[in-house]
mmCIF file of all heavy atoms in Angstrom:
data_model
loop_
_atom_site.group_PDB
_atom_site.id
_atom_site.type_symbol
_atom_site.label_atom_id
_atom_site.label_comp_id
_atom_site.label_asym_id
_atom_site.label_seq_id
_atom_site.Cartn_x
_atom_site.Cartn_y
_atom_site.Cartn_z
ATOM 1 N N TYR A 1 121.981 163.005 116.693
ATOM 2 C CA TYR A 1 121.985 162.682 115.271
ATOM 3 C C TYR A 1 120.650 163.060 114.608
ATOM 4 O O TYR A 1 119.587 162.782 115.145
ATOM 5 C CB TYR A 1 122.187 161.182 115.071
ATOM 6 C CG TYR A 1 123.504 160.635 115.558
ATOM 7 C CD1 TYR A 1 123.688 160.173 116.845
ATOM 8 C CD2 TYR A 1 124.635 160.641 114.703
ATOM 9 C CE1 TYR A 1 124.899 159.700 117.284
ATOM 10 C CE2 TYR A 1 125.857 160.164 115.134
ATOM 11 C CZ TYR A 1 125.989 159.698 116.445
ATOM 12 O OH TYR A 1 127.200 159.230 116.865
ATOM 13 N N CYS A 2 120.778 163.635 113.462
ATOM 14 C CA CYS A 2 119.616 163.929 112.599
ATOM 15 C C CYS A 2 119.320 162.699 111.747
ATOM 16 O O CYS A 2 120.277 162.010 111.316
ATOM 17 C CB CYS A 2 119.930 165.134 111.759
ATOM 18 S SG CYS A 2 118.665 165.641 110.606
ATOM 19 N N ALA A 3 118.055 162.430 111.481
ATOM 20 C CA ALA A 3 117.665 161.275 110.691
ATOM 21 C C ALA A 3 116.554 161.632 109.735
ATOM 22 O O ALA A 3 115.714 162.480 110.045
ATOM 23 C CB ALA A 3 117.217 160.149 111.618
ATOM 24 N N ALA A 4 116.545 160.956 108.574
ATOM 25 C CA ALA A 4 115.495 161.133 107.576
ATOM 26 C C ALA A 4 114.891 159.807 107.228
ATOM 27 O O ALA A 4 115.580 158.782 107.152
ATOM 28 C CB ALA A 4 116.073 161.799 106.339
ATOM 29 N N ASP A 5 113.573 159.798 107.026
ATOM 30 C CA ASP A 5 112.843 158.560 106.761
ATOM 31 C C ASP A 5 111.868 158.805 105.622
ATOM 32 O O ASP A 5 111.156 159.806 105.609
ATOM 33 C CB ASP A 5 112.095 158.137 108.022
ATOM 34 C CG ASP A 5 111.325 156.829 107.842
ATOM 35 O OD1 ASP A 5 111.573 156.125 106.847
ATOM 36 O OD2 ASP A 5 110.491 156.541 108.703
ATOM 37 N N ARG A 6 111.830 157.859 104.659
ATOM 38 C CA ARG A 6 110.905 157.992 103.522
ATOM 39 C C ARG A 6 109.432 157.901 103.921
ATOM 40 O O ARG A 6 108.557 158.345 103.168
ATOM 41 C CB ARG A 6 111.234 156.929 102.496
ATOM 42 C CG ARG A 6 112.570 157.128 101.794
ATOM 43 C CD ARG A 6 112.696 156.146 100.662
ATOM 44 N NE ARG A 6 114.029 156.155 100.042
ATOM 45 C CZ ARG A 6 115.012 155.379 100.424
ATOM 46 N NH1 ARG A 6 114.839 154.480 101.390
ATOM 47 N NH2 ARG A 6 116.204 155.446 99.844
ATOM 48 N N ASP A 7 109.163 157.313 105.082
ATOM 49 C CA ASP A 7 107.786 157.302 105.595
ATOM 50 C C ASP A 7 107.475 158.699 106.092
ATOM 51 O O ASP A 7 107.849 159.072 107.197
ATOM 52 C CB ASP A 7 107.654 156.270 106.733
ATOM 53 C CG ASP A 7 106.264 156.283 107.348
ATOM 54 O OD1 ASP A 7 105.400 157.095 106.915
ATOM 55 O OD2 ASP A 7 106.043 155.525 108.300
ATOM 56 N N ARG A 8 106.777 159.462 105.300
ATOM 57 C CA ARG A 8 106.582 160.879 105.568
ATOM 58 C C ARG A 8 105.738 161.125 106.800
ATOM 59 O O ARG A 8 105.745 162.255 107.301
ATOM 60 C CB ARG A 8 105.958 161.573 104.356
ATOM 61 C CG ARG A 8 106.829 161.451 103.087
ATOM 62 C CD ARG A 8 106.056 161.892 101.864
ATOM 63 N NE ARG A 8 105.970 163.345 101.791
ATOM 64 C CZ ARG A 8 105.155 163.965 100.932
ATOM 65 N NH1 ARG A 8 104.381 163.277 100.138
ATOM 66 N NH2 ARG A 8 105.150 165.288 100.869
ATOM 67 N N SER A 9 105.027 160.120 107.293
ATOM 68 C CA SER A 9 104.147 160.322 108.442
ATOM 69 C C SER A 9 104.946 160.477 109.744
ATOM 70 O O SER A 9 104.416 160.984 110.713
ATOM 71 C CB SER A 9 103.206 159.143 108.613
ATOM 72 O OG SER A 9 103.905 157.994 109.039
ATOM 73 N N ALA A 10 106.162 159.998 109.777
ATOM 74 C CA ALA A 10 107.044 160.005 110.976
ATOM 75 C C ALA A 10 106.701 158.908 111.962
ATOM 76 O O ALA A 10 107.402 158.781 112.964
ATOM 77 C CB ALA A 10 107.072 161.372 111.688
ATOM 78 N N THR A 11 105.693 158.124 111.713
ATOM 79 C CA THR A 11 105.334 157.098 112.671
ATOM 80 C C THR A 11 106.423 156.009 112.734
ATOM 81 O O THR A 11 106.605 155.399 113.798
ATOM 82 C CB THR A 11 103.986 156.456 112.305
ATOM 83 O OG1 THR A 11 104.029 155.986 110.937
ATOM 84 C CG2 THR A 11 102.867 157.462 112.457
ATOM 85 N N SER A 12 107.127 155.766 111.659
ATOM 86 C CA SER A 12 108.199 154.758 111.687
ATOM 87 C C SER A 12 109.402 155.224 112.526
ATOM 88 O O SER A 12 110.150 154.384 113.013
ATOM 89 C CB SER A 12 108.656 154.470 110.260
ATOM 90 O OG SER A 12 107.624 153.873 109.496
ATOM 91 N N LEU A 13 109.583 156.520 112.634
ATOM 92 C CA LEU A 13 110.689 157.049 113.408
ATOM 93 C C LEU A 13 110.389 157.024 114.895
ATOM 94 O O LEU A 13 111.306 156.952 115.715
ATOM 95 C CB LEU A 13 111.032 158.487 112.992
ATOM 96 C CG LEU A 13 111.721 158.681 111.663
ATOM 97 C CD1 LEU A 13 111.835 160.157 111.362
ATOM 98 C CD2 LEU A 13 113.100 158.021 111.671
ATOM 99 N N TYR A 14 109.113 157.120 115.232
ATOM 100 C CA TYR A 14 108.704 157.262 116.636
ATOM 101 C C TYR A 14 109.188 156.070 117.466
ATOM 102 O O TYR A 14 108.698 154.957 117.305
ATOM 103 C CB TYR A 14 107.197 157.419 116.720
ATOM 104 C CG TYR A 14 106.643 157.653 118.097
ATOM 105 C CD1 TYR A 14 107.375 158.312 119.073
ATOM 106 C CD2 TYR A 14 105.398 157.176 118.453
ATOM 107 C CE1 TYR A 14 106.858 158.513 120.359
ATOM 108 C CE2 TYR A 14 104.868 157.376 119.702
ATOM 109 C CZ TYR A 14 105.600 158.042 120.656
ATOM 110 O OH TYR A 14 105.073 158.238 121.915
ATOM 111 N N GLY A 15 110.185 156.329 118.320
ATOM 112 C CA GLY A 15 110.646 155.320 119.230
ATOM 113 C C GLY A 15 111.608 154.309 118.658
ATOM 114 O O GLY A 15 112.088 153.417 119.384
ATOM 115 N N SER A 16 111.960 154.414 117.379
ATOM 116 C CA SER A 16 112.795 153.404 116.783
ATOM 117 C C SER A 16 113.721 153.964 115.711
ATOM 118 O O SER A 16 113.310 154.845 114.937
ATOM 119 C CB SER A 16 111.949 152.309 116.135
ATOM 120 O OG SER A 16 112.736 151.396 115.413
ATOM 121 N N SER A 17 114.963 153.459 115.677
ATOM 122 C CA SER A 17 115.905 153.877 114.645
ATOM 123 C C SER A 17 115.978 152.876 113.487
ATOM 124 O O SER A 17 116.712 153.077 112.536
ATOM 125 C CB SER A 17 117.300 154.061 115.229
ATOM 126 O OG SER A 17 117.778 152.816 115.741
ATOM 127 N N SER A 18 115.196 151.805 113.535
ATOM 128 C CA SER A 18 115.330 150.721 112.583
ATOM 129 C C SER A 18 114.884 151.109 111.181
ATOM 130 O O SER A 18 115.315 150.489 110.209
ATOM 131 C CB SER A 18 114.530 149.496 113.022
ATOM 132 O OG SER A 18 113.141 149.802 113.084
ATOM 133 N N GLN A 19 114.042 152.143 111.043
ATOM 134 C CA GLN A 19 113.526 152.549 109.738
ATOM 135 C C GLN A 19 114.207 153.764 109.194
ATOM 136 O O GLN A 19 113.797 154.263 108.138
ATOM 137 C CB GLN A 19 112.019 152.808 109.840
ATOM 138 C CG GLN A 19 111.198 151.604 110.292
ATOM 139 C CD GLN A 19 111.351 150.434 109.314
ATOM 140 O OE1 GLN A 19 111.293 150.596 108.126
ATOM 141 N NE2 GLN A 19 111.601 149.263 109.885
ATOM 142 N N VAL A 20 115.219 154.251 109.841
ATOM 143 C CA VAL A 20 115.940 155.452 109.358
ATOM 144 C C VAL A 20 116.619 155.106 108.051
ATOM 145 O O VAL A 20 117.364 154.135 107.930
ATOM 146 C CB VAL A 20 116.949 155.938 110.409
ATOM 147 C CG1 VAL A 20 117.819 157.037 109.788
ATOM 148 C CG2 VAL A 20 116.246 156.418 111.648
ATOM 149 N N ASP A 21 116.414 156.016 107.071
ATOM 150 C CA ASP A 21 117.053 155.813 105.770
ATOM 151 C C ASP A 21 118.377 156.553 105.652
ATOM 152 O O ASP A 21 119.283 156.093 104.994
ATOM 153 C CB ASP A 21 116.121 156.302 104.660
ATOM 154 C CG ASP A 21 114.894 155.416 104.528
ATOM 155 O OD1 ASP A 21 115.071 154.194 104.290
ATOM 156 O OD2 ASP A 21 113.749 155.913 104.653
ATOM 157 N N TYR A 22 118.473 157.701 106.309
ATOM 158 C CA TYR A 22 119.703 158.504 106.248
ATOM 159 C C TYR A 22 120.014 159.102 107.626
ATOM 160 O O TYR A 22 119.090 159.516 108.339
ATOM 161 C CB TYR A 22 119.549 159.647 105.218
ATOM 162 C CG TYR A 22 119.236 159.178 103.851
ATOM 163 C CD1 TYR A 22 117.945 159.193 103.339
ATOM 164 C CD2 TYR A 22 120.262 158.707 103.018
ATOM 165 C CE1 TYR A 22 117.647 158.751 102.086
ATOM 166 C CE2 TYR A 22 119.978 158.276 101.730
ATOM 167 C CZ TYR A 22 118.702 158.289 101.266
ATOM 168 O OH TYR A 22 118.406 157.839 100.015
ATOM 169 N N TRP A 23 121.314 159.134 107.899
ATOM 170 C CA TRP A 23 121.819 159.707 109.181
ATOM 171 C C TRP A 23 122.765 160.856 108.902
ATOM 172 O O TRP A 23 123.511 160.841 107.914
ATOM 173 C CB TRP A 23 122.587 158.660 109.987
ATOM 174 C CG TRP A 23 121.761 157.539 110.558
ATOM 175 C CD1 TRP A 23 121.641 156.256 110.078
ATOM 176 C CD2 TRP A 23 120.981 157.597 111.763
ATOM 177 N NE1 TRP A 23 120.852 155.529 110.913
ATOM 178 C CE2 TRP A 23 120.435 156.315 111.936
ATOM 179 C CE3 TRP A 23 120.730 158.581 112.718
ATOM 180 C CZ2 TRP A 23 119.597 156.000 113.034
ATOM 181 C CZ3 TRP A 23 119.897 158.262 113.781
ATOM 182 C CH2 TRP A 23 119.347 156.972 113.927
ATOM 183 N N GLY A 24 122.753 161.814 109.822
ATOM 184 C CA GLY A 24 123.812 162.820 109.822
ATOM 185 C C GLY A 24 125.016 162.298 110.577
ATOM 186 O O GLY A 24 125.024 161.171 111.074
ATOM 187 N N GLN A 25 126.045 163.124 110.663
ATOM 188 C CA GLN A 25 127.285 162.709 111.284
ATOM 189 C C GLN A 25 127.270 162.893 112.803
ATOM 190 O O GLN A 25 128.121 162.354 113.486
ATOM 191 C CB GLN A 25 128.486 163.473 110.695
ATOM 192 C CG GLN A 25 128.741 164.855 111.279
ATOM 193 C CD GLN A 25 127.720 165.908 110.907
ATOM 194 O OE1 GLN A 25 126.859 165.667 110.035
ATOM 195 N NE2 GLN A 25 127.805 167.071 111.519
ATOM 196 N N GLY A 26 126.330 163.662 113.310
ATOM 197 C CA GLY A 26 126.194 163.881 114.742
ATOM 198 C C GLY A 26 126.824 165.159 115.197
ATOM 199 O O GLY A 26 127.785 165.651 114.625
ATOM 200 N N THR A 27 126.270 165.706 116.282
ATOM 201 C CA THR A 27 126.826 166.891 116.926
ATOM 202 C C THR A 27 126.782 166.705 118.454
ATOM 203 O O THR A 27 125.784 166.210 119.000
ATOM 204 C CB THR A 27 126.048 168.157 116.509
ATOM 205 O OG1 THR A 27 126.701 169.329 117.045
ATOM 206 C CG2 THR A 27 124.605 168.147 116.948
#
């Protein structure tokens, strides 16, 4: 799954999906 996060630093994404704002449908 692709994910996008408004925290542009990417630190919120590192190791966690809790801060993901948008998800793709998956491949």
Side-chain angles (χ1 to χ4, degrees):
Y1 296 91
C2 178
D5 181 15
R6 292 188 187 92
D7 176 1
R8 299 169 78 192
S9 72
T11 55
S12 296
L13 287 175
Y14 182 32
S16 173
S17 62
S18 64
Q19 300 300 315
V20 172
D21 292 302
Y22 301 99
W23 289 102
Q25 83 288 352
T27 185

